Amino acid sequence: EFHMKTYLVTGAAGFIGANYLKYILKKYDGKEDIKVIVVDALTYAGNLGTIREELKNSKVKFEKVDIRDRKETERIFSENEVDYVVNFAAESHVDRSIENPQIFLETNILGTQNLLENAKKAWTVSKGENGYPVYRDGVKYLQVSTDEVYGSLSKDYEKAIELVIEDEKVKNVVKDRTNLKTYGDKFFTEKTPLDPRSPYSASKAGADHIVLAYGETYKMPITITRCSNNYGPYHFPEKLIPLMIKNVLEGKKLPVYGKGDNVRDWLYVEDHCKGIDLVLREGKEGEIYNIGGFNEEQNINIVKLVIDILKEEITNNDEYKRVLKTNLDNINYNLITYVQDRLGHDMRYAIDPSKIARDLGWYPETDFETGIRKTVKWYLENQEWVNEVISGDYQKYYEEMYGGK
């Protein structure tokens, strides 16, 4: 008999979590009955406006709960037969972690442990002969982590060189793409030793260790995904790409750290969501999977690409001209201004996604230029969302939807 799967998704009012909620509702619509419990503390990065439509869906239930709250977490597990936990809930902004490290440790480490403990309790049906817990069939805990836990890679080339991929299955990750390039000889694999450099990445590495420890000590069915930088719709305007779009539209300077030569590996958020759900459904218990699309780029080139695409899109579309708060001629590279580098700024991140490509057949469907264009157009067409976030008005949604509950 088919058992309807119940997802517990934490942090689903945040950027990646919200995109994941949209992704699974679309993916299983008409194919499989699922139920989703959304757990979000609605800190500054949680925006119910982002998932307003999804919350009207009878399959979705919202709980305004902090993952550090033991009692409330216990209640959610006792009221629902949860099959899958997908933990996105995290304080995630590096600059904020430099300002206030403690909250990062509390949410990212203690919150994760609280979720694991409650899932373990709820899922344990008996004790095996060897003393280990025996869990209900088909349950899984997935920790959403980051490539930043690996630390920083060296940038070996000032100008990118051609990236050569030998493995046929891994070539799928870049099929139909030209101009494959890399800025270094080494990549993060799942076996790369952890070497986090900021309070944020240290807290995420700590959480990963706790998840793995629950897997080893209690034989809990866990998996971990580690992704490269995500971009796409519903991204908070403090992050690089949406911030640049916002400033260009206002004719404001574009602050770029240091010389702008730091390299990041970019992944369109929907491709990341596809990878997460694939690992959840088909990944091997106890395993870690890196998710990235061989998409290295220097920050300065990203900023220039955003300027170019914005200029082109606005020039060709009168609707978009209404969103522009400056003269079209002002959209040019002169807006770029270099600011003092971030403290302990990692030089290069680059993920090797060979394992998820080979073992699970994952590949990203959105090449970088297409993804950036989609993102730019989304921001141009969803200024209301952007303005609500910037003004802080988005925080009113909870009151409107759940008034005082």
Side-chain angles (χ1 to χ4, degrees):
E1 183 201 341
F2 182 76
H3 162 77
M4 178 175 79
K5 293 291 189 193
T6 296
Y7 282 74
L8 191 160
V9 183
T10 70
F15 165 49
I16 305 176
N19 275 285
Y20 179 70
L21 176 64
K22 291 169 191 290
Y23 174 80
I24 57 174
L25 287 173
K26 198 166 74 190
K27 175 178 174 180
Y28 296 112
D29 186 36
K31 295 185 190 70
E32 183 185 317
D33 244 357
I34 60 169
K35 184 178 162 194
V36 188
I37 301 144
V38 169
V39 172
D40 202 296
L42 299 181
T43 59
Y44 82 93
N47 178 0
L48 282 186
T50 301
I51 53 172
R52 205 172 6 186
E53 288 311 304
E54 287 70 26
L55 292 174
K56 295 175 187 164
N57 188 326
S58 58
K59 296 173 182 166
V60 179
K61 184 168 142 195
F62 177 70
E63 295 273 8
K64 183 177 190 283
V65 167
D66 190 313
I67 59 167
R68 295 172 295 175
D69 187 329
R70 199 179 317 167
K71 268 207 175 71
E72 282 292 280
T73 306
E74 196 170 14
R75 174 185 65 75
I76 292 168
F77 275 97
S78 68
E79 289 175 4
N80 304 277
E81 199 171 323
V82 174
D83 300 291
Y84 300 140
V85 174
V86 185
N87 183 25
F88 291 95
E91 294 282 346
S92 70
H93 197 264
V94 175
D95 290 335
R96 286 178 192 253
S97 88
I98 294 169
E99 295 301 320
N100 177 13
Q102 190 166 338
I103 180 80
F104 283 72
L105 305 195
E106 289 171 1
T107 300
N108 300 358
I109 297 178
L110 298 178
T112 294
Q113 188 271 330
N114 181 43
L115 273 178
L116 284 161
E117 186 59 31
N118 276 291
K120 174 170 81 74
K121 268 199 260 188
W123 290 346
T124 302
V125 288
S126 64
K127 201 181 237 187
E129 286 164 26
N130 49 12
Y132 288 105
V134 175
Y135 299 104
R136 201 173 84 226
D137 266 356
V139 294
K140 253 192 187 171
Y141 178 102
L142 187 146
Q143 178 76 1
V144 180
S145 188
T146 165
D147 61 355
E148 296 186 43
V149 297
Y150 297 121
S152 186
L153 290 166
S154 61
K155 183 178 173 188
D156 305 308
Y157 308 101
E158 263 321 294
K159 282 203 163 53
I161 62 159
E162 190 190 353
L163 172 68
V164 180
I165 299 169
E166 304 293 346
D167 187 301
E168 284 310 313
K169 272 194 167 160
V170 179
K171 276 185 187 160
N172 261 342
V173 173
V174 293
K175 63 170 184 241
D176 307 328
R177 266 174 53 197
T178 51
N179 186 24
L180 283 180
K181 58 183 188 179
T182 178
Y183 286 90
D185 297 321
K186 288 198 174 70
F187 291 79
F188 296 137
T189 74
E190 291 80 1
K191 300 224 166 14
T192 302
L194 301 194
D195 182 24
R197 312 289 185 92
S198 73
Y200 161 62
S201 52
S203 70
K204 289 297 282 185
D208 286 4
H209 284 310
I210 302 289
V211 173
L212 292 168
Y214 267 72
E216 289 295 333
T217 308
Y218 309 111
K219 298 282 177 267
M220 220 175 132
I222 57 99
T223 47
I224 296 174
T225 56
R226 293 179 180 145
C227 66
S228 57
N229 279 36
N230 281 219
Y231 69 98
Y234 305 105
H235 205 179
F236 246 60
E238 64 183 4
K239 305 279 182 161
L240 179 74
I241 291 172
L243 178 67
M244 295 304 152
I245 296 172
K246 171 186 175 296
N247 282 13
V248 169
L249 293 175
E250 294 171 6
K252 283 187 181 159
K253 292 282 183 207
L254 311 179
V256 174
Y257 281 132
K259 298 204 291 282
D261 57 352
N262 298 65
V263 173
R264 295 295 177 262
D265 183 358
W266 293 89
L267 181 65
Y268 191 62
V269 65
E270 194 174 2
D271 287 324
H272 181 204
C273 295
K274 170 183 157 184
I276 290 170
D277 206 57
L278 193 60
V279 169
L280 183 68
R281 294 289 183 124
E282 297 173 32
K284 212 168 133 216
E285 282 176 20
E287 295 287 318
I288 297 165
Y289 295 89
N290 284 354
I291 309 179
F294 291 121
N295 236 326
E296 287 177 64
E297 196 46 272
Q298 297 191 103
N299 285 347
I300 187 65
N301 296 348
I302 301 272
V303 175
K304 287 176 174 171
L305 182 62
V306 168
I307 293 171
D308 294 343
I309 290 178
L310 265 169
K311 182 139 199 177
E312 188 188 320
E313 289 293 340
I314 293 171
T315 303
N316 297 332
N317 185 328
D318 288 342
E319 281 297 300
Y320 296 159
K321 289 194 179 69
R322 291 194 207 154
V323 174
L324 194 60
K325 301 183 180 80
T326 181
N327 196 316
L328 194 55
D329 299 338
N330 290 340
I331 302 187
N332 58 53
Y333 297 167
N334 294 338
L335 291 174
I336 296 167
T337 173
Y338 297 97
V339 297
Q340 185 185 353
D341 209 359
R342 167 188 278 167
L343 302 179
H345 199 179
D346 292 340
M347 193 64 223
R348 171 173 168 258
Y349 301 149
I351 268 187
D352 179 351
S354 296
K355 177 176 170 178
I356 190 172
R358 275 198 295 260
D359 296 2
L360 304 180
W362 176 87
Y363 62 92
E365 288 169 36
T366 316
D367 73 83
F368 192 53
E369 179 127 0
T370 307
I372 289 277
R373 193 171 292 277
K374 270 167 117 166
T375 304
V376 163
K377 289 173 84 154
W378 187 88
Y379 276 90
L380 289 168
E381 286 160 19
N382 290 272
Q383 280 297 299
E384 199 180 323
W385 182 90
V386 177
N387 294 333
E388 277 172 357
V389 169
I390 292 159
S391 67
D393 280 354
Y394 68 96
Q395 287 165 326
K396 70 181 186 228
Y397 279 114
Y398 181 70
E399 284 308 310
E400 272 178 24
M401 294 164 93
Y402 298 97
K405 271 184 219 167

